Amino acid sequence: MSNKLKTHFFGFITVLIWGSGFPFTRFIGDEIPPYALAFIRCFLAAVVLVIIGRRCKMRKPFSRRDLGWFFLSGICGFSMYLICFNKGLETLNSATGSIITAIAPILVAVAAMKLYGERINITGWVSIFCAFAGVVVLLLWDGILSVNIGALWMIVTATLFAGYTLLTRKLSKAGYTDIEVTTYSAIFGAIQTLPFAPGALRAMGEASMAANISAVYLGVAAGAVAYYTWSRGISIAERTSEVTNYLFVNPLIAAIIGFMMLGEMPDMGTYIGGAMIIASVVVFSLKGSPDSVEDGV
């Protein structure tokens, strides 16, 4: 299998699993609080990835400076990311939450432009404006005095994930393998969420079996497996956008599974704002950036 086919395979598998993460998190509901669930996901992901990493002969970090980058990627991709993700889904349905996080590829491109001089053409800027106009529609659909706080949490989630994507590329370019990048990020994420461990144990003891199984699925599949396939795809891609573009499939997957699992029906604001966001991300991905972020961070 060529690297191009592998890139698309890893990208699709990742969003398929991540798309299911929205309804599974909603399914758990308030049985396991957001901070406790963040620890469970980080801890399980770290354990599984360490086991895989040992079989892959994972190396130690090359320098103390790299430990700082892994600490930051642990925040952006695991600890703070999952806290914001869980908080956002307390008040958003699966489709709406996944639509907002679909702006991550645009945030990656904007960050690359600011930090490394990557160019964005006129079509790209129009797409960015339309995407954020779609976010405003989602935020204000029910009126300016009834802004859904979950949407704000999800905007932060998308921003953190954009940072994680750039850091993944940077560390891969520094010589780290996919499993090393993902595992060390997860380990730091687990360390950062350790203060929530006692609450997580209490919550799991009181939660239903279905909620606990869902939490384990989120930690192992949506955590370890999907993060590894994401890093793998990013590291072998000719262009980062070949992988990040798959993120706009997330809303469709999340909406379908959310409807099947929870009977969720998005409101008209989600349809209108979501269409604006997804269309903008697709146009931006295809026409908006003459350069890619391939030179890394």
Side-chain angles (χ1 to χ4, degrees), residues 164-174 233-240 293-297:
Y164 176 73
T165 298
L166 290 168
L167 287 167
T168 295
R169 192 66 171 181
K170 172 185 175 57
L171 290 164
S172 295
K173 289 292 186 181
I234 290 289
S235 68
I236 65 175
E238 292 181 7
R239 294 188 175 187
T240 304
V293 288
E294 300 337 294
D295 294 331
V297 181

Side-chain angles (χ1 to χ4, degrees), residues 105-189:
I106 287 179
L107 297 177
V108 170
V110 171
M113 180 202 70
K114 291 291 186 182
L115 296 173
Y116 309 107
E118 303 291 349
R119 292 183 298 155
I120 297 176
N121 60 27
I122 295 298
T123 302
W125 284 114
V126 172
S127 300
I128 290 172
F129 175 81
C130 291
F132 283 97
V135 172
V136 171
V137 169
L138 288 175
L139 281 171
L140 304 180
W141 183 255
D142 292 324
I144 195 168
L145 298 179
S146 59
V147 173
N148 190 324
I149 190 66
L152 299 179
W153 280 111
M154 278 301 174
I155 292 172
V156 177
T157 299
T159 303
L160 288 168
F161 189 75
Y164 176 73
T165 298
L166 290 168
L167 287 167
T168 295
R169 192 66 171 181
K170 172 185 175 57
L171 290 164
S172 295
K173 289 292 186 181
Y176 289 99
T177 63
D178 324 309
I179 190 66
E180 289 167 347
V181 172
T182 311
T183 302
Y184 286 125
S185 299
I187 289 172
F188 275 106

Side-chain angles (χ1 to χ4, degrees), residues 22-295:
F22 291 87
F24 270 92
T25 301
R26 290 278 293 167
F27 175 76
I28 291 172
D30 58 2
E31 289 195 58
I32 301 177
Y35 298 98
L37 183 57
F39 168 75
I40 294 168
R41 291 190 61 173
C42 289
F43 176 76
L44 290 176
V47 169
V48 173
L49 287 166
V50 166
I51 293 172
I52 296 173
R54 288 178 65 86
R55 293 180 64 86
C56 296
K57 298 181 180 179
M58 188 173 70
R59 299 164 297 177
K60 295 180 180 179
F62 303 154
S63 67
R64 290 185 178 180
R65 182 182 179 184
D66 289 346
L67 289 176
W69 290 116
F70 283 122
F71 182 87
L72 185 58
S73 66
I75 292 173
C76 292
F78 285 88
S79 60
M80 195 62 195
Y81 168 83
L82 289 173
I83 289 171
C84 294
F85 180 89
N86 296 338
K87 292 289 290 182
L89 288 176
E90 284 186 319
T91 57
L92 293 178
N93 62 41
S94 303
T96 305
S98 60
I99 286 169
I100 295 174
T101 58
I103 66 173
I106 287 179
L107 297 177
V108 170
V110 171
M113 180 202 70
K114 291 291 186 182
L115 296 173
Y116 309 107
E118 303 291 349
R119 292 183 298 155
I120 297 176
N121 60 27
I122 295 298
T123 302
W125 284 114
V126 172
S127 300
I128 290 172
F129 175 81
C130 291
F132 283 97
V135 172
V136 171
V137 169
L138 288 175
L139 281 171
L140 304 180
W141 183 255
D142 292 324
I144 195 168
L145 298 179
S146 59
V147 173
N148 190 324
I149 190 66
L152 299 179
W153 280 111
M154 278 301 174
I155 292 172
V156 177
T157 299
T159 303
L160 288 168
F161 189 75
Y164 176 73
T165 298
L166 290 168
L167 287 167
T168 295
R169 192 66 171 181
K170 172 185 175 57
L171 290 164
S172 295
K173 289 292 186 181
Y176 289 99
T177 63
D178 324 309
I179 190 66
E180 289 167 347
V181 172
T182 311
T183 302
Y184 286 125
S185 299
I187 289 172
F188 275 106
I191 293 171
Q192 291 154 6
T193 55
L194 270 177
F196 310 124
L201 292 175
R202 286 195 302 270
M204 292 189 76
E206 297 170 358
S208 65
M209 181 178 294
N212 282 324
I213 291 174
S214 296
V216 171
Y217 167 79
L218 289 171
V220 175
V225 175
Y227 272 85
Y228 170 71
T229 55
W230 179 259
S231 294
R232 178 64 173 159
I234 290 289
S235 68
I236 65 175
E238 292 181 7
R239 294 188 175 187
T240 304
S241 60
E242 290 177 349
V243 182
T244 57
N245 286 354
Y246 274 95
L247 288 176
F248 58 73
V249 181
N250 251 354
L252 176 61
I253 296 171
I256 292 173
I257 299 177
F259 174 76
M260 294 174 64
M261 282 184 62
L262 309 171
E264 293 180 337
M265 291 296 293
D267 60 20
M268 188 55 65
T270 298
Y271 286 116
I272 295 174
M276 293 172 65
I277 294 170
I278 299 304
S280 299
V281 173
V282 172
V283 171
F284 181 88
S285 298
L286 296 176
K287 302 290 184 180
S289 181
D291 299 320
S292 62
V293 288
E294 300 337 294
D295 294 331

